[in-house]
Amino acid sequence: MAPVTSPQPAAIENRTMTINMGPQHPSTHGVLRLEVTVDGEVVTKVKPDIGYLHRCFEKYAESLGDYAKVVPYTDRIDYVSALHQEMGYVIAVEKLLELEVPERVEYMRVILAELQRIASHLLGIGTFGLDLGAFTPFLYCFIERENILRILEKVSGARLLYNYLCVGGLMRDIPTDFTSDTWEFVTSFRPKIKELNDLLTTNSIFIDRTANIGVLPAEVALNYSASGPMLRGSGVSWDLRKNDPYSIYDRFEFNVPVGQGEMGTVGDCWDRYIVRVREMEESLKIIEQALDQMPGEGDVKEAVPRRIRSKEGEVYVRTETPRGELGYYIISEKSGPYRIKARTPSFVNLSILPAISKGALVADLVAIVGSIDIVLGGVDR
Amino acid sequence: MVQTLKKSWTTFKTIFTGMGVTMRHLLQPSVTLRYPEERDELPSGARSKLFVHIDDCIGCKLCERACPVNCIAIETVQATKDVDLGKTSTGNPKRFWITTFNIDMSKCMYCDMCVPPCPTECISMVPEYEYSEYDRNNLLFQFSELSADKVTEVKEKAEKEQEEKQRKKKEAARKKKAQKADQTSKAKQKNSEG
Amino acid sequence: MGLLDKKYHDSNIIIVSLESALNWARKSSLWYEQFGLACCAIEMMATAASDYDFDRFGIIPRSSPRQADVMIVAGTVTMKMASRIERLYEQMSEPRYVISMGSCSNSGGPYWEHGYHVLKGVDKVIPVDVYVPGCPPRPEALLEGFLKLQERISNETIIEPRETEQESTEEEKEPIEVE
Amino acid sequence: MALLIFATLPLLLIVGYALFAIWLERKVSAHIQDRLGPMRVGGWHGWAQTIADMLKLIQKEDIIPTNASRFLFKSAPFVLFAASYAAFSVIPFSSAYIGSSINIGVFYLLAVTSLLTLSVIMGAWASNNKWSLLGGMRTAAQMVSYEVPTIMSVLSVLVVAGSLNLMTISEMQTGNDILGFLPNWLIFQNPFLIVAFIIFFISIVAESHRVPFDLPESESELVAGFQTEYSGMRWGIFMLAEYADMLLLSLLGAVLFFGGWASPFGSYLSGPVWGFIWFMLKGLLFVFVMMWMRWTLPRYRVDQLMEICWTILIPVSFINFVLIALWEMTF
């Protein structure tokens, strides 16, 4: 009988699999494509592929040839926090033209910006919860966000892309019931934060999913020049409203919440999340102070130039948006803008993704992307 | 072991806290707006559709120039002297026939920048948002009320007047030239004499 | 639905043809593809959220195109994205519908003039059933777009191919240059 | 003929229940989220919504991807449905109706439901889609692991009940004798059975893949998990089977712990018809709790899921099993 030879075992191949996450995927927050190399479910490599929403902002800024006309296009850079995009741009142009803005307008801008910050954080928190499978907190956040949108719509006439700030002032007068509406919102919103904490923040499944995940050490964050909650989540107290005040932010009392690693390591997803929640409370404080101090009378269009006469010069202005540092670099000629470059926080923050998602599971990758809170309009511009 | 039990206990506790919150919401009335039956009242100045009172338009094209997306197209023809187009409701005299006033709402970005420059307040945002269409071409709104015949008639008239004007201008120019030539020649004469 | 319908027109007998029943089913359960492109996607989310609630109309999101009936093109379609949208549309199972939401996907919108990277209207790559104007459209406007789509579906016949598809076959698709 | 009618009764029940449960789920989720849910289709609170959904799914194009394994892809949903349908045959719906009163009922049920894993893997692998594959692998791991605590908690009930026949188990729970007013349900007969019930409930939530254990079809991670490539009625059958599975396990819980069709008020309001109503009410209560949980909680990660199963549920269920046996020996 011939000896039975067992077949030689084929060399065990350790093969990785490449999967495309996006451009159509429920948790990429838009049209981001991630080229994910996985070994089983463990992510070995992530490569973000961007450009699916490139909308030629800089080309438009050059082609329109008018500073006023660019404002609605800045809205569309980061459509979740449109007022912040406008504010940065408008401040930059005002600095270039050396315009003085009335007091009332400054207060109004700050209040609107903080309302917008709350709205934007609500969306960020909600979609983060959605990424982790919690559907209901997302809708509760949207109910609150809807209340803010109602105020903003009353002021500007639009729900999402406001085009309300203009160089030197505001596009329209402030409606009479703005103050009372805002007070009403501020008082009704505080208990809702507590409810959100009950439902999501302290939920132990949520903590299990976010603590110690996607840890971003402070050093790495600084090296990648991260900003906003992404940087503050890593324990670095850096907020342009405090550290380099623009507009009238130096008049208000507020804290800069930073990640402390309460549930795990400093700089994990939970820290980034809690920074957003606490920032909403700080924004409420700013709104309350601003409402108290705002002058009741005054023409908001006082300083608005009838025609903007461009000047030669260069200017860089940075502001703190809900996602981080937004910078506008304007090179101006006599005839109008020569080049307007927007430095958006989403793009910079996204670039950290490959560094912090190595070795995570696919489910963690979703959580990490959610905690960065990118807006693809800001990434691709 | 104790730690595991403790952790399980907190897990249960937080799960029940969360479920308590959702149960409270389950018993609360909903916040939903039942859209086709109920409608929210839009705030004054809501931006949802552009409308032009063409009677009030004086053809100054300021809105066209203010529009960042160039979705407004206006063509005007100067009215001849024998026609009086009347005045707008704000009292501005009208001097142009508006032969075309098209707004392409499929391009518009609802930025509201065309509204403030208008001197007669004839272009405005109206709170009407229900105009979805099966065909995109229906989103091109034409506000000019002149018929095609009228447009050609007006154009011809204006052209004629223009020609007349041009002729007159030319004549005047020629006369001027002649005079100038006259003067220069006279001056030359003087010079040569002097 | 010919003679019988006329015969019993005034009587109490209800004649529901198979076709209208099927159309009713189609229009009552329009599941949309959970897929947003830009600003309009946020308004799409707001429409699905509690304040406006898509679910009242039986409209729910599905994240896989295979199970979706209607694709809401919500936002700016760039050249890079256009081919992907076409692909997603092909992955959907018949009967499928497309709602173009907002100026950008209607005709390029704010980016039609200098937007070198923006597709001037999503109807260049896929047939569109309803155009919803707005930048972005209000949630109510999107709901109205859905009502228009339902109207269109209830007038459909099973035998004849749909209008838009006829158009799309007749029309020569313009080649898109993707750089 | 009578046999045929007898056999199709559960089918009607399952289809009717699934239509109702999907509608209920949408309503419950909507009201939890301060919404209204289906309101327009069919008039009163959108009662016809799921009927319309089903009619539409039947009309949809049935796509089979080019590179799919055709036979496996096509048959997977039917295997899944057949498995959960077959398991219904040993469920005692009321004192007068049971598909088959076999003396290994519990064993049969657990064996048949294991087929679910197989069919999910079939569908996931045959789709030739990476997301499906990941979903399928997750499902396999999850269902195989969670079968251990399920079986352990069922075994601990069997120790108390002393029978594998579900009809017998139901029958012995009629009456109101414990402490004079509590019904004779097994959960009241042995204090350790409460722990067993908690373990059982957690496991059935995991086995019917509901939040917080809905990893196989977790939308935000795997698009739609193993169902990604399915369209039309094939997908509808997956959905149907999922809801049927949920009901099956809830009903099993009702039989094993809460007296099956036994009335909570002793002999008052009992009888075959009332028995059926009580039985369905008990099952639907569990279904409601599962829905309530689903719309409250985030989901676990796949390794945490396994950790809960192997480090907490299985050891606890083993210890509990021993304790129950000791209790039975002493009292």
Side-chain angles (χ1 to χ4, degrees):
Chain A
M1 210 169 135
V4 180
T5 49
S6 62
Q8 281 293 310
I12 295 167
E13 248 184 296
N14 194 4
R15 280 204 301 177
T16 52
M17 181 164 77
T18 309
I19 42 178
N20 283 314
M21 207 177 198
Q24 185 265 333
H25 186 277
S27 64
T28 48
H29 295 233
V31 283
L32 172 68
R33 174 166 161 253
L34 298 173
E35 233 179 83
V36 189
T37 313
V38 288
D39 178 9
E41 273 209 41
V42 180
V43 177
T44 53
K45 203 175 143 200
V46 185
K47 198 176 142 208
D49 177 11
I50 61 170
Y52 288 98
L53 193 55
H54 178 57
R55 296 197 284 191
C56 336
F57 166 73
E58 286 173 24
K59 167 77 180 162
Y60 261 90
E62 289 159 23
S63 303
L64 289 171
D66 186 347
Y67 282 108
K69 280 185 186 176
V70 181
V71 180
Y73 286 94
T74 61
D75 273 345
R76 286 157 178 78
I77 291 180
D78 177 349
Y79 34 84
V80 179
S81 60
L83 277 166
H84 286 273
Q85 319 297 312
E86 284 172 23
M87 193 165 170
Y89 173 77
V90 162
I91 290 175
V93 178
E94 278 159 9
K95 197 172 163 195
L96 178 79
L97 305 176
E98 288 156 14
L99 278 175
E100 275 291 314
V101 182
E103 194 89 320
R104 194 165 144 86
V105 173
E106 291 278 23
Y107 275 103
M108 191 66 188
R109 282 184 185 173
V110 167
I111 294 170
L112 290 177
E114 293 309 313
L115 281 175
Q116 178 82 88
R117 190 183 305 276
I118 295 174
S120 168
H121 278 340
L122 279 172
L123 187 89
I125 290 166
T127 46
F128 184 38
L130 194 62
D131 289 343
L132 301 177
F135 198 75
T136 305
F138 166 70
L139 290 184
Y140 291 167
C141 288
F142 253 83
I143 293 172
E144 293 311 309
R145 185 171 173 273
E146 207 68 32
N147 289 338
I148 300 176
L149 293 196
R150 248 173 239 135
I151 297 174
L152 295 179
E153 190 188 14
K154 236 181 208 175
V155 172
S156 71
R159 276 170 52 90
L160 192 70
L161 306 171
Y162 308 100
N163 185 29
Y164 183 58
L165 311 186
C166 67
V167 178
L170 305 174
M171 286 285 279
R172 297 176 181 195
D173 288 329
I174 303 164
T176 45
D177 48 359
F178 172 73
T179 340
S180 58
D181 281 354
T182 314
W183 270 120
E184 199 183 311
F185 168 75
V186 170
T187 43
S188 74
F189 185 58
R190 281 244 161 78
K192 294 292 157 68
I193 296 182
K194 206 199 150 281
E195 196 180 273
L196 180 74
N197 287 340
D198 278 349
L199 198 57
L200 203 59
T201 315
T202 56
N203 186 298
S204 81
I205 300 177
F206 179 75
I207 293 170
D208 279 352
R209 282 298 305 275
T210 52
N212 294 323
I213 303 298
V215 178
L216 173 66
E219 203 184 326
V220 178
L222 288 170
N223 285 346
Y224 275 93
S225 76
S227 50
M230 191 83 182
L231 179 65
R232 290 195 283 276
S234 299
V236 183
S237 171
W238 178 260
D239 189 325
L240 290 175
R241 292 174 294 171
K242 245 324 189 251
N243 300 76
D244 181 14
Y246 53 96
S247 192
I248 49 164
Y249 273 108
D250 45 355
R251 298 185 197 177
F252 304 113
E253 286 273 321
F254 63 97
N255 303 323
V256 178
V258 291
Q260 291 149 355
E262 283 150 86
M263 296 298 163
T265 328
V266 177
D268 56 10
C269 290
W270 195 84
D271 274 352
R272 288 196 277 278
Y273 162 84
I274 200 70
V275 163
R276 293 201 176 91
V277 176
R278 292 189 181 140
E279 258 178 41
M280 293 202 293
E281 288 168 25
E282 300 303 323
S283 290
L284 285 181
K285 272 189 212 164
I286 298 178
I287 293 172
E288 281 172 338
Q289 291 170 39
L291 281 174
D292 276 335
Q293 297 170 16
M294 189 164 95
E297 298 285 308
D299 185 8
V300 293
K301 292 183 190 164
E302 204 175 61
V304 182
R306 268 187 66 82
R307 271 211 67 196
I308 296 174
R309 272 177 221 293
S310 176
K311 253 189 204 173
E312 258 178 62
E314 287 180 24
V315 64
Y316 179 78
V317 165
R318 51 183 186 172
T319 51
E320 183 77 24
T321 72
R323 278 165 197 77
E325 181 180 324
L326 169 78
Y328 281 105
Y329 181 50
I330 302 179
I331 304 179
S332 176
E333 285 182 334
K334 268 257 156 21
S335 55
Y338 173 73
R339 169 126 201 246
I340 300 178
K341 150 98 182 133
R343 183 257 188 223
T344 48
S346 295
F347 175 67
V348 180
N349 291 350
L350 180 65
S351 67
I352 307 176
L353 181 69
I356 58 174
S357 53
K358 217 165 268 173
L361 293 175
V362 173
D364 292 337
L365 182 66
V366 168
I368 295 168
V369 173
S371 76
I372 297 177
D373 188 20
I374 42 167
V375 167
L376 264 293
V379 175
D380 296 335
R381 296 188 291 284
Chain B
M1 186 68 200
V2 177
Q3 219 168 16
T4 320
L5 278 180
K6 228 179 187 174
K7 183 138 192 299
S8 315
W9 169 244
T10 46
T11 308
F12 273 108
K13 210 177 79 181
T14 50
I15 285 174
F16 283 118
T17 333
M19 285 173 81
V21 173
T22 41
M23 185 41 101
R24 258 204 313 282
H25 276 273
L26 179 66
L27 302 174
Q28 264 174 17
S30 65
V31 296
T32 308
L33 176 87
R34 302 181 196 196
Y35 158 65
E37 292 91 32
E38 295 171 6
R39 281 179 169 76
D40 252 347
E41 206 177 300
L42 293 193
S44 61
R47 285 146 42 183
S48 30
K49 190 184 177 185
L50 275 173
F51 182 75
V52 180
H53 292 280
I54 197 69
D55 293 342
D56 278 1
C57 182
I58 56 169
C60 62
K61 296 194 182 178
L62 278 176
C63 48
E64 191 185 12
R65 235 173 287 153
C67 180
V69 284
N70 288 347
C71 70
I72 306 177
I74 307 176
E75 272 172 33
T76 53
V77 173
Q78 187 146 31
T80 41
K81 271 178 191 148
D82 52 325
V83 197
D84 183 20
L85 284 172
K87 282 184 176 181
T88 63
S89 55
T90 46
N92 303 42
K94 282 164 58 167
R95 298 208 180 84
F96 292 94
W97 292 104
I98 319 287
T99 50
T100 328
F101 199 126
N102 290 353
I103 299 183
D104 191 346
M105 292 311 275
S106 74
K107 285 178 189 160
C108 179
M109 69 161 152
Y110 303 80
C111 61
D112 206 21
M113 289 176 85
C114 50
V115 178
C118 183
T120 60
E121 293 173 14
C122 72
I123 187 166
S124 59
M125 286 280 184
V126 285
E128 191 200 321
Y129 45 83
E130 294 153 304
Y131 55 108
S132 345
E133 288 291 347
Y134 298 130
D135 187 357
R136 188 175 67 192
N137 296 335
N138 294 349
L139 288 173
L140 181 75
F141 288 85
Q142 300 182 332
F143 291 98
S144 172
E145 279 161 358
L146 296 185
S147 60
D149 293 344
K150 184 81 180 168
V151 169
T152 43
E153 186 199 319
V154 167
K155 264 188 188 161
E156 269 169 21
K157 251 180 162 178
E159 257 166 43
K160 256 182 210 163
E161 208 186 66
Q162 202 67 27
E163 268 171 31
E164 191 84 355
K165 246 187 195 168
Q166 215 111 76
R167 209 162 47 83
K168 274 182 187 166
K169 232 184 198 170
K170 264 185 196 162
E171 238 161 61
R174 217 188 305 134
K175 265 181 194 168
K176 237 183 186 173
K177 228 181 182 177
Q179 262 180 9
K180 237 184 185 173
D182 230 28
Q183 275 174 3
T184 44
S185 60
K186 270 178 191 172
K188 266 183 189 168
Q189 265 182 0
K190 260 184 192 175
N191 279 356
S192 58
E193 276 170 19
Chain C
M1 291 252 311
L3 296 164
L4 276 174
D5 197 32
K6 273 169 198 143
K7 190 173 178 186
Y8 296 119
H9 191 65
D10 292 322
S11 65
N12 288 331
I13 297 170
I14 304 165
I15 302 168
V16 182
S17 70
L18 180 68
E19 193 175 272
S20 55
L22 293 182
N23 279 345
W24 167 79
R26 267 188 217 175
K27 75 169 192 181
S28 306
S29 104
L30 286 167
W31 296 354
Y32 71 93
E33 199 177 338
Q34 192 181 23
F35 153 64
L37 290 168
C39 331
C40 292
I42 307 290
E43 283 299 73
M44 188 173 86
M45 275 149 78
T47 322
S50 301
D51 280 58
Y52 297 95
D53 194 10
F54 261 151
D55 204 8
R56 280 181 304 129
F57 300 83
I59 304 166
I60 51 171
R62 292 300 314 170
S63 40
S64 169
R66 301 275 186 222
Q67 294 134 27
D69 307 296
V70 52
M71 178 194 238
I72 308 176
V73 185
T76 316
V77 186
T78 55
M79 299 286 188
K80 195 173 176 180
M81 195 64 203
S83 55
R84 269 75 168 176
I85 285 188
E86 207 179 348
R87 178 95 177 255
L88 280 172
Y89 180 72
E90 280 160 6
Q91 283 177 342
M92 286 164 71
S93 53
E94 288 279 359
R96 54 194 171 186
Y97 307 94
V98 177
I99 288 183
S100 159
M101 178 186 182
S103 293
C104 287
S105 64
N106 285 351
S107 67
Y111 301 97
W112 74 273
E113 206 176 2
H114 309 295
Y116 53 84
H117 193 256
V118 176
L119 190 71
K120 315 297 183 289
V122 75
D123 49 358
K124 292 200 169 172
V125 286
I126 51 174
V128 175
D129 290 280
V130 177
Y131 296 88
V132 181
C135 190
R138 290 180 66 80
E140 289 104 318
L142 181 59
L143 285 175
E144 199 251 353
F146 265 99
L147 291 177
K148 274 257 167 71
L149 180 64
Q150 288 189 343
E151 211 174 283
R152 182 173 204 152
I153 292 168
S154 53
N155 294 329
E156 260 180 13
T157 54
I158 298 171
I159 307 153
E160 284 173 41
R162 281 162 56 217
E163 241 174 84
T164 46
E165 266 163 34
Q166 282 174 330
E167 273 170 28
S168 72
T169 45
E170 280 164 21
E171 240 177 64
E172 270 185 44
K173 275 186 191 167
E174 285 176 43
I176 315 154
E177 288 165 23
V178 182
E179 284 161 37
Chain D
M1 191 62 203
L3 200 70
L4 204 66
I5 294 169
F6 205 60
T8 44
L9 266 179
L11 183 66
L12 289 179
L13 180 84
I14 294 169
V15 173
Y17 154 78
L19 291 179
F20 171 72
I22 297 172
W23 175 82
L24 183 74
E25 168 119 45
R26 284 169 81 167
K27 282 312 250 192
V28 167
S29 70
H31 282 278
I32 279 180
Q33 293 154 358
D34 293 347
R35 298 187 284 132
L36 286 169
M39 285 301 282
R40 297 171 65 81
V41 182
W44 185 82
H45 280 268
W47 62 270
Q49 182 60 56
T50 40
I51 297 169
D53 285 345
M54 200 177 72
L55 262 179
K56 180 210 71 178
L57 283 174
I58 291 170
Q59 291 176 69
K60 291 285 279 184
E61 185 187 356
D62 180 23
I63 295 178
I64 298 163
T66 333
N67 291 328
S69 170
R70 290 180 74 87
F71 176 71
L72 290 182
F73 185 84
K74 279 172 150 177
S75 53
F78 300 106
V79 173
L80 182 66
F81 186 71
S84 55
Y85 182 44
F88 270 94
S89 62
V90 291
I91 294 283
F93 283 100
S94 93
S95 52
Y97 181 86
I98 181 168
S100 159
S101 178
I102 48 176
N103 55 5
I104 50 160
V106 178
F107 181 70
Y108 166 83
L109 196 147
L110 292 172
V112 164
T113 45
S114 305
L115 266 180
L116 296 173
T117 324
L118 182 71
S119 60
V120 167
I121 296 178
M122 268 165 73
W125 184 79
S127 305
N128 194 24
N129 180 313
K130 287 164 183 171
W131 296 118
S132 298
L133 187 66
L134 282 177
M137 290 303 142
R138 282 181 176 191
T139 322
Q142 176 177 343
M143 290 174 80
V144 168
S145 339
Y146 272 85
E147 230 148 64
V148 182
T150 317
I151 290 172
M152 279 316 291
S153 48
V154 169
L155 272 183
S156 36
V157 175
L158 297 183
V159 167
V160 181
S163 166
L164 278 170
N165 189 334
L166 284 165
M167 198 64 169
T168 323
I169 296 176
S170 302
E171 267 162 10
M172 65 191 282
Q173 298 183 61
T174 49
N176 262 15
D177 297 325
I178 299 173
L179 301 175
F181 65 96
L182 278 178
N184 279 353
W185 298 349
L186 282 172
I187 194 156
F188 301 122
Q189 289 189 10
N190 189 321
F192 293 107
L193 272 184
I194 296 170
V195 180
F197 173 69
I198 292 169
I199 293 168
F200 178 79
F201 188 75
I202 295 171
S203 322
I204 65 169
V205 170
E207 282 220 24
S208 51
H209 355 123
R210 308 282 298 177
V211 169
F213 309 113
D214 69 329
L215 297 156
E217 62 234 47
S218 52
E219 279 205 344
S220 58
E221 291 155 25
L222 301 185
V223 189
F226 65 91
Q227 309 164 343
T228 306
E229 292 287 344
Y230 280 91
S231 64
M233 204 52 208
R234 261 177 235 285
W235 179 80
I237 288 172
F238 266 131
M239 200 72 180
L240 205 67
E242 188 183 307
Y243 276 84
D245 196 26
M246 204 163 114
L247 181 71
L248 175 76
L249 293 167
S250 301
L251 290 180
L252 180 66
V255 175
L256 291 181
F257 295 95
F258 289 92
W261 39 261
S263 154
F265 310 112
S267 57
Y268 182 61
L269 291 182
S270 60
V273 178
W274 274 109
F276 178 73
I277 292 170
W278 285 123
F279 189 52
M280 288 312 280
L281 276 180
K282 285 170 191 170
L284 284 176
L285 182 72
F286 292 143
V287 171
F288 171 74
V289 174
M290 284 194 204
M291 287 174 183
W292 182 14
M293 266 168 71
R294 169 167 183 175
W295 297 105
T296 307
L297 301 174
R299 76 169 69 84
Y300 273 116
R301 210 172 53 208
V302 66
D303 58 322
Q304 289 164 348
L305 182 90
M306 292 300 155
E307 203 180 303
I308 291 169
C309 179
W310 292 102
T311 64
I312 301 174
L313 292 182
I314 291 179
V316 171
S317 62
F318 272 111
I319 295 166
N320 195 45
F321 179 64
V322 175
L323 289 175
I324 286 173
L326 283 176
W327 180 278
E328 281 304 304
M329 274 163 73
T330 38
F331 296 98

